[in-house]
Structures are given as C-alpha cells and as structure tokens.
Amino acid sequence: MATPEPALRTRIDALITDAWVLAALAAAIRDPSLSEEHGAVLGAAGYAEHTPDGWRLHPACRTFLDGLPAPDAFAGQVAGILRQAADAADGRPAEEDDDASFIVQGESSGERMTEFLDLVAARVPEVGKVLHRPGLRFLDIGTGIGAIAATVISRAPAARAVGIDIAPRALRLAEDHLIRRGVRDRVDLRLQDVAELADTAAYDLAWLPLGVLAPHATAQALPRILAALRPGGWLISATVLAGTDQPGSVREAVLRWRMARRAITPWTPAELAARLTATGFHSVTQIATPQNAMGLVAAQA
Ligand SMILES: C[S@@+](CC[C@H](N)C(=O)[O-])C[C@H]1O[C@@H](n2cnc3c(N)ncnc32)[C@H](O)[C@@H]1O
C-alpha cells in the first residue's frame, strides 16, 4: 500500500532531523565546547546535558568516545558518510576521498588493526604466534598510507612488509606516513593490483580488506594470495558486512548500496569463508568484532 503523502512528509521531517542530530554529534566530538543552540539539539536528542557552565556531552557519550582509539577520526568518518549521502541524494557518483580524509581513514585503520590482531590471536592462537615471529614477512593489500603495515611489523622483531596499492597517490602518502612511524626501511611499497599478484611462498601473513577492493579484483586475488603465502602462512581478511543484519533490513540494504556505489566487495563473512575454502585455504575461521562493526575471517595456506 502506498504511504499517504502527509505521513511521508512527517517521516521525511524525522529523517532530516536525525541527519542533523548526527551532524551535531560529530561536530561535538571534534569540539566539545557547545553553543547554546548546538547543545540544545544534542540535549533534546538525549546526548548532552545542561550544566552551570553550559552544555556538555552526556557522561555516557564521553565514556563511549573515550573508548574509541581515535575520536577525531571517528567524527571525520561520520562527516564523510554525510557527504557521501549528499552525493547519492544529488545523483552524483561516489567521490574519491581527498588526501586529508584518506590519511585520517588510514590512520584510523592502523589504530583499529591492533584490536583486530588481538581478537584474531585470541581466537586462533597460531596467528598470535605468527604475529610475534622474528623476521615476519607481511603482505598489506591496498596499503593506502601504510598504517596497517606499520602496525603489524611493529609487533615482531625484524619484521618486514610489502605494501601494494594501485594508486600512485597512496604510495606517495605511504612514504610520508612510514617515515613518520620510523619504519620506512622495513616496508617495500609497490604499485600493484592484487588481482595480478605473482609472488610465491613469500609471506607469513597477509591482510585483505574487502572494504577497499572491487569484487572482481578480490575474486581474482584469492588464489594468488594462497600462492603468495608460505605453506602454513595466514590470511586475515575483513568484510564490511558482519553478516548479522536481518537480510532485507534497511541497514543492510543501505550498506549494500553504499558498497555498490564505491565498487566494494559486498561478501558476508560466511560467503568469504566459503570462497576461501573453495580456493584451497584451510582452518577458515570467522571471528566476530565488538558490536558486529564488521567481520573478520582468518584462513591458513
Ligand atoms: C583506503 S586505503 C586502505 C587503508 C587500509 N589498508 C585499510 O585496510 O583500511 C585502500 C587502498 O586500496 C587500494 N586498492 C584498491 N583496489 C586495489 C587493488 N585491486 N589492488 C591493490 N590496491 C587496491 C586503493 O588504491 C587505496 O589506496
């Protein structure tokens, strides 16, 4: 049955209000000094409280923010998503991130990687051992600014990484980031499409983030990554979908539309696990992340 027009108007109003509440929250994460009007928005929505010194974020929000590895980067991500939504609303194709957002996003991935590695190591102790193996060889696929490579090799003595990326801009930014992290001499940066990876038995560990790769590239990459790992080496892969949403839910449908607009591999952890097994990986293990923010799958060559 078609939605009656006045009801739709009320719902659109509510959706617009929610979008502005989200914007107010992101702005407050960046700068907690809230104007009267800004604070009133967050107060009415239940995210701020009025004190004798003016508005401030509610303690429960502060606790949440203090638990984030990089609250500023989180606010930046929310702002980026609002910009992407505006592009979609205007019928514009998804835009590439500018350098500043690319760096913020890369830094936040690097910080989050520590948490992911701990999660995987707790669930698959063999991966934990690999992560501390002296001389570890790590393959960082879609290296971006190289933050994940830097995080991984910082955990093992004499570890080295190869970071591959199809974008010259990424490799230029990675140079700077790796110099700043003091590990430039331990990471080889290569302009390369993972779909054409030709290394054999070269790595103990590889990282494959589906959230940055096109579906055809990911599909072509799987057998190449298997060949590039040393026998017994491990792949850790991340999916955007955690596989926990109700199929057909609005949240999952929105995520799939966002992925399609950016040509991102939309596989669930279960789909990825099945493809890894079919490729010849074994000990394929799905690992949940807190709040099911995304999915992790570990697999052994
Ligand atoms: C945003 S960065 C990722 C940063 C970080 N590694 C992460 O996991 O979040 C994604 C990078 O993947 C690169 N990329 C996309 N498709 C690729 C492919 N087929 N092979 C190698 N790199 C690719 C992009 O150029 C981009 O620089």
Side-chain angles (χ1 to χ4, degrees):
M1 193 178 75
T3 314
E5 201 266 341
L8 179 58
R9 198 166 278 272
T10 309
R11 287 195 63 185
I12 289 173
D13 250 3
L15 290 167
I16 290 171
T17 303
D18 280 351
W20 275 99
V21 170
L22 182 59
L25 204 47
I29 293 170
R30 283 220 162 102
D31 179 3
S33 59
L34 305 176
S35 72
E36 189 53 36
E37 293 78 9
H38 186 178
V41 169
L42 293 171
Y47 299 115
E49 60 186 4
H50 203 259
T51 72
D53 300 326
W55 286 101
R56 64 164 196 200
L57 280 177
H58 207 278
C61 291
R62 283 255 63 93
T63 309
F64 167 74
L65 295 175
D66 293 345
L68 291 172
D72 238 31
F74 179 71
Q77 279 165 15
V78 172
I81 288 166
L82 287 169
R83 276 193 294 275
Q84 290 167 24
D87 284 343
D90 266 344
R92 285 193 297 268
E95 271 202 0
E96 282 226 334
D97 294 325
D98 60 20
D99 280 5
S101 326
F102 192 79
I103 291 169
V104 165
Q105 203 223 314
E107 284 174 347
S108 130
S109 304
E111 279 158 18
R112 226 175 20 176
M113 189 66 179
T114 300
E115 184 193 345
F116 289 167
L117 294 175
D118 291 343
L119 274 173
V120 178
R123 197 51 210 290
V124 187
E126 274 189 68
V127 173
K129 284 188 207 138
V130 170
L131 284 168
H132 294 105
R133 183 178 294 165
L136 164 79
R137 291 291 176 267
F138 173 61
L139 173 64
D140 185 17
I141 297 165
T143 196
I145 64 165
I148 284 177
T151 298
V152 171
I153 62 171
S154 303
R155 292 170 77 117
R160 292 191 62 86
V162 170
I164 64 169
D165 204 296
I166 47 171
R169 162 182 86 143
L171 298 182
R172 179 172 49 77
L173 295 172
E175 288 269 347
D176 296 344
H177 183 79
L178 295 170
I179 290 169
R180 222 160 21 81
R181 301 270 301 260
V183 292
R184 178 66 192 94
D185 56 335
R186 291 163 61 194
V187 183
D188 297 321
L189 294 170
R190 245 197 244 163
L191 188 65
Q192 174 157 51
D193 190 330
V194 67
E196 287 161 16
L197 185 70
D199 297 355
T200 48
Y203 305 102
D204 305 295
L205 184 68
W207 165 246
L208 177 72
L210 265 51
V212 302
L213 299 172
H216 65 89
T218 311
Q220 285 175 35
L222 295 188
R224 290 171 180 266
I225 297 168
L226 180 62
L229 285 166
R230 294 175 174 150
W234 284 88
L235 170 68
I236 304 176
S237 185
T239 60
V240 176
L241 295 174
T244 49
D245 284 307
Q246 276 297 90
S249 69
V250 177
R251 185 179 184 276
E252 174 162 336
V254 166
L255 277 172
R256 285 186 181 276
W257 188 34
R258 285 175 57 195
M259 285 188 281
R261 282 177 48 80
R262 294 181 82 100
I264 283 173
T265 309
W267 306 343
T268 61
E271 282 172 84
L272 172 61
R275 286 177 186 258
L276 289 169
T277 304
T279 303
F281 283 91
H282 58 94
S283 307
V284 179
T285 311
Q286 298 176 47
I287 300 145
T289 60
Q291 277 106 42
N292 295 313
M294 57 200 302
L296 289 172
V297 180
Q300 193 170 28

